Amino acid sequence: MNRIQELFQRKQRNVLNVYVTAGYPNLNDTITIMQALEANGADLIELGMPYSDPLADGPVIQHSSSIAIANGMTIETLFTQLKHLRNSVSVPVILMGYMNPVLQYGFEKFCADAAAVGVDGLILPDLPEYEFETEYGAIIKQYGLDFIFLVTPETSAERIKKLDSLSSGFLYAVSSSSTTGGDKAFSPVQEYLQRLQSYQLRNPVLVGFGVKDKASFEAAAAYSNGAIIGSAFIKSLDGVDDVTAATKQFLQSVLR
């Protein structure tokens, strides 16, 4: 059993996945922030690999990506930083990014290096289902990595079930079809999440996009296995001197 499966077996409700951009706010903050996330209650860490054209990311995460790239963050640098990851971080870690830089790095090399440092899964929003099934899925599986697909309120029931069958780890339920970080009203989202529950999916469901504080986390988690917070956490790191203290303060505001 891998770390993600073990997490959801142990904890079925209120799972908190926190997204952070690697190399933000400073190049060498990556591991420090991950340690602080685990120490203060994050169940799962989604580590963003900065990219210059992030399709699904709103302005806050785009801005953090720009800064991380300017700081010198690359996939090579990230794997160097993660080399001793499992000496100090025990929660599951997922790499989130886009196909272009991964393909430039070499897809199989990327999967091998991710597995070698103790990464548990991947989210690549622009990897199409067909290419996953015919080419890349087998490589991902070969290296023991989970792959998480995204679904939206507009995704048909048939397609949701198909993406659920292809996913492992969990299914990422985007709470709207816009980009990350916007203000979302949670009543239409509840209807959508209840619909997902009715499909009796194979994977646990985590809700992302628009989850930003205690109230929205609890609202999302009421109809799913938990939620993903990204932009709000990134904002909380903007301009701070002590990323450990800022991380603690943010997570306490969500979990207490």
Side-chain angles (χ1 to χ4, degrees):
M1 190 184 301
N2 67 25
R3 274 178 285 261
I4 300 176
Q5 289 171 328
E6 191 276 327
L7 165 63
F8 284 107
Q9 190 166 77
R10 180 171 47 81
K11 188 175 183 179
Q12 279 92 40
R13 312 291 305 173
N14 297 313
V15 170
L16 175 60
N17 176 7
V18 181
Y19 171 97
V20 61
T21 303
Y24 176 84
N26 301 295
L27 181 63
N28 294 315
D29 286 338
T30 311
I31 292 289
T32 306
I33 292 172
M34 293 173 80
Q35 290 167 341
L37 285 170
E38 175 167 1
N40 292 288
D43 298 299
L44 197 64
I45 296 170
E46 188 177 322
L47 189 57
M49 300 177 288
Y51 177 46
S52 55
D53 188 23
L55 305 173
D57 297 324
V60 173
I61 291 176
Q62 284 187 24
H63 178 65
S64 70
S65 279
S66 300
I67 290 173
I69 290 167
N71 287 343
M73 180 52 74
T74 62
I75 291 176
E76 289 89 343
T77 303
L78 178 58
F79 283 137
T80 301
Q81 290 184 351
L82 297 180
K83 193 171 182 182
H84 303 294
L85 168 72
R86 291 305 174 189
N87 293 347
S88 60
V89 175
S90 60
V91 297
V93 174
I94 294 154
L95 293 182
M96 188 276 186
Y98 295 89
M99 282 296 283
N100 194 339
V102 172
L103 292 174
Q104 286 177 9
Y105 187 83
F107 195 87
E108 184 163 354
K109 181 175 188 288
F110 175 81
C111 292
D113 290 353
V117 298
V119 165
D120 302 285
L122 306 176
I123 299 174
L124 300 166
D126 59 343
L127 172 53
E129 166 194 343
Y130 178 78
E131 278 79 359
F132 176 85
E133 283 194 274
T134 56
E135 188 171 358
Y136 297 109
I139 300 169
I140 293 165
K141 196 170 183 180
Q142 180 187 336
Y143 289 96
L145 298 167
D146 281 323
F147 190 85
I148 295 105
F149 277 97
L150 285 76
V151 299
T152 76
E154 286 74 34
T155 309
S156 69
E158 183 185 11
R159 184 164 162 75
I160 287 169
K161 289 170 185 174
K162 170 74 177 191
L163 293 175
D164 176 55
S165 75
L166 295 177
S167 291
S168 58
F170 62 91
L171 196 63
Y172 190 133
V174 178
S175 67
S176 84
S177 55
S178 63
T179 56
T180 55
D183 288 320
K184 307 289 184 292
F186 256 89
S187 47
V189 179
Q190 286 173 6
E191 195 180 306
Y192 157 59
L193 295 177
Q194 285 172 315
R195 186 159 55 87
L196 290 181
Q197 282 182 328
S198 75
Y199 299 150
Q200 296 182 312
L201 300 171
R202 193 170 69 97
N203 289 290
V205 173
L206 294 184
V207 185
F209 290 41
V211 183
K212 61 181 186 293
D213 52 21
K214 186 178 175 70
S216 53
F217 174 68
E218 289 175 353
Y223 298 95
S224 67
N225 299 91
I228 302 160
I229 295 181
S231 297
F233 176 59
I234 297 292
K235 267 186 202 170
S236 77
L237 298 174
D238 187 20
V240 303
D241 293 323
D242 185 342
V243 293
T244 300
T247 300
K248 180 177 183 177
Q249 187 177 358
F250 181 83
L251 286 188
Q252 285 181 344
S253 75
V254 173
L255 295 173
R256 287 195 175 172

